[in-house]
Amino acid sequence: MGMSVTISEASEADAEQILKLQYLCYQSEAELYGDYSIEPLTQSLDSITTEVATGTVLVARLGDEVVASVRGTVDADGTARIGKLIVHPRMQRHGLGGRLLNAIERQLGADRTTKSFQLFTGHRNEQNLQLYRKHGYAPVKTQRVNDRLTVVTLAKDSATRAYAASA
């Protein structure tokens, strides 16, 4: 390839690429659970544009192409909620998801009021569960959505992020 992947804040001009990448990346999740009506596959361009304008959205680029993305917000109670960590299928298994996770934690954790980080995934998504555990997250809650899906919420405190980043 010859180019390196760079991570930066998303702009509103990235929203369409993020939407297309999100649609591509969540096909495997929909297949895993037999549900193609999941929110990432039905989210609108306007909704993503609003998230980019009002939240923290990072993208990874290979040249001009958005090949990965992640979003996050910090609640009033100091919980940083991380979501929709996506990596183009051809770019998976090269550490990009971990790099993006570290980057969003740094960004959201820069505000000293951030006490903890939280994210979630489906119970069958071993690749996600493995990545999150590797980065210090531990399951804190499970919620059965239907016969096919149980959502696993994982969390870690912000001091863990600082430790993991220095290790």
Side-chain angles (χ1 to χ4, degrees):
M1 273 185 221
M3 286 188 249
S4 62
V5 174
T6 59
I7 296 174
S8 62
E9 285 195 48
S11 72
E12 289 184 37
D14 295 320
E16 187 172 350
Q17 281 193 73
I18 294 168
L19 177 65
K20 289 176 180 177
L21 180 62
Q22 177 175 301
Y23 191 82
L24 173 67
C25 291
Y26 275 94
Q27 293 298 313
S28 59
E29 192 85 2
E31 184 177 342
L32 190 60
Y33 298 103
D35 184 359
Y36 288 84
S37 66
I38 58 176
E39 190 270 343
L41 295 181
T42 60
Q43 187 174 16
S44 70
L45 178 58
D46 286 344
S47 174
I48 291 177
T49 301
T50 299
E51 286 182 359
V52 170
T54 61
T56 301
V57 180
L58 301 180
V59 293
R61 296 178 204 284
L62 184 61
D64 292 334
E65 180 187 7
V66 173
V67 294
S69 181
V70 65
R71 300 169 218 178
T73 60
V74 180
D75 292 350
D77 68 356
T79 301
R81 300 192 189 279
I82 299 169
K84 294 185 179 130
L85 174 60
I86 53 175
V87 177
H88 193 289
R90 78 172 191 274
M91 302 294 291
Q92 291 177 4
R93 301 271 189 211
H94 298 286
L96 187 51
R99 284 180 57 200
L100 261 179
L101 188 56
N102 288 338
I104 195 81
E105 287 177 359
R106 272 193 308 275
Q107 190 94 358
L108 298 173
D111 178 355
R112 296 291 177 205
T113 63
T114 301
K115 297 174 186 167
S116 65
F117 299 97
Q118 193 174 87
L119 42 73
F120 65 90
T121 192
H123 73 288
R124 292 183 188 161
N125 196 323
E126 284 300 322
Q127 189 175 341
N128 285 358
L129 290 166
Q130 183 179 35
L131 172 68
Y132 300 149
R133 286 186 186 116
K134 180 180 174 184
H135 285 265
Y137 288 83
V140 293
K141 181 175 110 177
T142 58
Q143 179 183 358
R144 186 181 169 111
V145 175
N146 57 41
D147 289 343
R148 297 177 301 237
L149 172 63
T150 298
V151 172
V152 180
T153 301
L154 300 99
K156 69 177 180 178
D157 66 47
S158 61
T160 302
R161 185 209 62 82
Y163 172 75
S166 66

